[in-house]
Amino acid sequence: MNVYDSARMADLLASQGYAETRRQEDADLVILNTCHIREKAADKVYSELGKLAAMKHARSAAGRDMQIVVAGCVAQAEGVEALRRQRAVDLVVGPQSYHRLPELLARTARGERLTDTEFAVEDKFQFLPQPTPQQIRARGVSAFVTVQEGCDKFCSFCVVPYTRGAEVSRQVAQVVAETEGLAAAGVREITVIGQNVNAYRGEAPDGRKWPLERLLERLSHIGGVERLRYTTSHPIDMSQGLIDAHGALPQLMPFVHLPAQSGSDRVLKAMNRRHGASAYLDRVARLRKARPDIALSSDFIVGFPGETDADFEATLSLIREVGFAAAFSFKYSPRPGTPGAERSDQIDEQAKRERLRALQELIEAQRQAFNAAAIGRAFDVLFEKAGRHPGQIAGKSPYMQAVHVTGDVELIGAVAKVTIVAAGANSLAGRLAGGAAKERRH
Ligand code: 5AD
Ligand code: SF4
């Protein structure tokens, strides 16, 4: 979501005469769009700010200014504290206020230092300009569209409900208009995003609230939209309607990111996840029934307070039972203001480290097996960019695997059949089925 938000901030500022620069030293304005999900991410912000402060001083010695803005969830959580801790910061702006950047920057340009971390009453999306076709093309053929923000779940480890606020869904018409603009400029894959995307309930032109599967079905009718994906989902909002959409909508890709966090019912309860391991496995079984080739990825946290060896074993056992194509995994990081951080039974760093290593080893073996199983199969690949070596182009399989082939750059933006010939550590090598490259040229 920060990638999407950063792009929208850049679009907004482009309409104010700003242009992106490659070198930080050249910037009149630097915005750090920050993440607060784990302590490591938040710590990085202050070390980055230290470096920027030095640059700002160097520029000011040469008679030029550098405005420094902290945006995103660290801004939301720290507020005025960020101004106190780092004198070089001019503005702190939360994720619900960035549409106000032009007026805020007009004030900082006059020497004010300020914060705006209100949860705005107005809908920021109404105030953000649509990106131009040039801006869209510069970002490639796969794009994000935010359809939902915030979270009402309050998992006991997570800061999101505090930094992003309550669950809000964008209206269907807004999402459709944004997607039409992207598709008209050449985008072929849309990933609709939200902190809790499958809890989407957006107001539709028929006056009803549409669930995610109806939105996806509507987007599938937009010319040029060849692929649809959505992320991130909560297991309890994985409705049968959405599961059925995987069997019914050809554009909906057979890959679902469905965070489990843990495989232990005891830990899941302490995490306030509102589901046990069997409910998670039930969603997976139903997804596989609707779309037998569906690939799954997940998020896991190790070392939540009170997690025993047996709890951790239950997580490994859930992973073995499902068989994932990929997964993200993290050591539990106590976050200020969350119930998990208050607990007295925190797990020591070494146990966390060992559990993370064991879990990642298992996931990595599953990922390699999943990739190796692709050898000899033919997939549709959406080509996104030139490959690392001359004459190569690179894209994605339906299952989110990176694929590279020898082929013409004119294929970028097209979907073509590829036979997989080898599986490397991080990508698959393939061969274009005969004639695909030629067909596109005429
Ligand atoms: N510590 C570690 N990982 C966390 N996540 C969220 N909060 C924490 C935390 N306090 C992970 C979850 C979530 C992903 C985005 O980040 O696995 O799904
Ligand atoms: Fe955080 Fe996701 Fe839980 Fe919401 S559902 S509190 S975003 S982990």
Side-chain angles (χ1 to χ4, degrees):
M1 187 163 283
N2 274 9
V3 170
Y4 174 86
D5 285 351
S6 297
R8 299 311 298 272
M9 284 189 247
D11 295 344
L12 173 64
L13 293 169
S15 71
Q16 306 284 308
Y18 286 91
E20 287 178 53
T21 168
R22 294 215 157 267
R23 284 166 27 105
Q24 285 183 339
E25 294 84 340
D26 295 338
D28 301 308
L29 167 68
V30 177
I31 302 178
L32 283 188
N33 195 15
T34 62
C35 176
H36 203 236
I37 197 89
R38 283 169 294 277
E39 201 176 354
K40 222 159 94 186
D43 283 349
K44 271 200 288 200
V45 176
Y46 284 103
S47 63
E48 269 312 301
L49 283 174
K51 288 185 217 155
L52 287 170
M55 257 179 235
K56 181 178 175 132
H57 291 134
R59 270 178 69 95
S60 121
R64 290 148 78 203
D65 191 22
M66 179 192 266
Q67 300 271 295
I68 298 179
V69 179
V70 184
C73 290
V74 174
Q76 188 64 41
E78 295 276 284
V80 73
E81 182 59 25
L83 291 183
R84 276 204 210 106
R85 237 177 107 171
Q86 178 48 264
R87 294 288 314 163
V89 173
D90 297 286
L91 172 64
V92 178
V93 60
Q96 302 308 335
S97 311
Y98 65 74
H99 57 295
R100 292 200 282 252
L101 272 172
E103 56 182 275
L104 295 168
L105 289 172
R107 289 171 61 189
T108 57
R110 293 195 297 266
E112 279 183 68
R113 300 178 73 222
L114 58 143
T115 63
D116 185 347
T117 52
E118 291 298 303
F119 287 118
V121 278
E122 74 268 19
D123 170 10
K124 71 171 173 240
F125 294 105
Q126 307 272 6
F127 296 88
L128 293 169
Q130 289 285 327
T132 64
Q134 290 85 338
Q135 286 169 330
I136 295 169
R137 277 195 281 274
R139 297 197 181 112
V141 299
S142 178
F144 293 126
V145 174
T146 290
V147 303
Q148 180 279 333
E149 275 192 87
C151 183
D152 297 339
K153 297 286 189 299
F154 290 91
C155 299
S156 60
F157 52 80
C158 184
V159 286
V160 166
Y162 310 95
T163 55
R164 286 271 173 176
E167 258 171 51
V168 182
S169 295
R170 286 179 78 188
Q171 290 177 8
V172 170
Q174 258 194 32
V175 175
V176 168
E178 189 170 325
T179 305
E180 283 173 344
L182 293 168
V187 169
R188 295 292 164 258
E189 176 176 84
I190 299 285
T191 304
V192 300
I193 55 173
Q195 272 88 28
N196 228 311
V197 77
N198 61 342
Y200 179 83
R201 304 282 295 159
E203 208 178 296
D206 65 7
R208 303 237 170 95
K209 298 244 170 166
W210 284 12
L212 185 63
E213 60 272 21
R214 279 207 71 184
L215 179 73
L216 291 168
E217 197 267 342
R218 174 68 187 82
L219 299 182
S220 76
H221 295 298
I222 296 173
V225 174
E226 302 211 25
R227 290 184 161 190
L228 288 166
R229 302 181 185 276
Y230 60 93
T231 201
T232 288
S233 297
H234 191 293
I236 61 167
D237 293 317
M238 208 70 212
S239 69
Q240 191 57 45
L242 181 55
I243 290 171
D244 290 341
H246 281 278
L249 275 185
Q251 292 89 345
L252 189 53
M253 289 292 102
F255 179 94
V256 174
H257 181 65
L258 192 61
Q261 313 298 359
S262 168
S264 153
D265 287 343
R266 219 177 58 83
V267 171
L268 287 166
K269 194 162 191 318
M271 286 176 163
N272 192 30
R273 285 290 288 178
R274 310 171 195 206
H275 64 82
S278 65
Y280 186 87
L281 295 171
D282 162 72
R283 303 304 184 272
V284 170
R286 284 194 277 138
L287 279 163
R288 285 183 168 151
K289 189 153 172 250
R291 179 82 202 235
D293 65 332
I294 208 154
L296 290 145
S297 78
S298 195
D299 291 343
F300 292 97
I301 295 176
V302 300
F304 185 77
E307 185 187 71
T308 62
D309 286 341
D311 292 322
F312 177 62
E313 272 307 314
T315 300
L316 295 181
S317 139
L318 178 133
I319 294 172
R320 282 189 205 103
E321 191 156 343
V322 174
F324 289 96
F328 299 104
S329 48
F330 315 98
K331 289 186 279 191
Y332 170 69
S333 166
R335 307 308 293 127
T338 60
E342 306 293 315
R343 290 182 51 148
S344 55
D345 48 356
Q346 301 290 329
I347 303 298
D348 71 71
E349 186 56 29
Q350 191 187 338
K352 284 186 194 173
R353 207 180 316 123
E354 280 165 16
R355 287 176 190 171
L356 187 69
R357 194 196 44 76
L359 188 149
Q360 289 185 339
E361 208 169 275
L362 175 58
I363 291 287
E364 182 56 17
Q366 293 191 342
R367 194 177 72 86
Q368 299 289 351
F370 181 75
N371 288 343
I375 298 171
R377 294 184 59 198
F379 296 147
D380 280 337
V381 170
L382 170 62
F383 289 101
E384 296 176 347
K385 56 186 182 196
R388 260 203 286 158
H389 302 292
Q392 268 188 357
I393 50 174
K396 292 256 163 56
S397 80
Y399 313 103
M400 285 296 272
Q401 296 148 298
V403 180
H404 59 86
V405 303
T406 299
D408 197 312
V409 287
E410 283 185 50
L411 267 179
I412 293 169
V415 174
K417 242 335 162 236
V418 169
T419 303
I420 303 303
V421 296
N426 290 308
S427 69
L428 304 176
R431 210 174 26 233
L432 281 168
K438 269 194 213 119
E439 260 166 47
R440 279 286 156 176
R441 245 180 264 143
H442 298 294

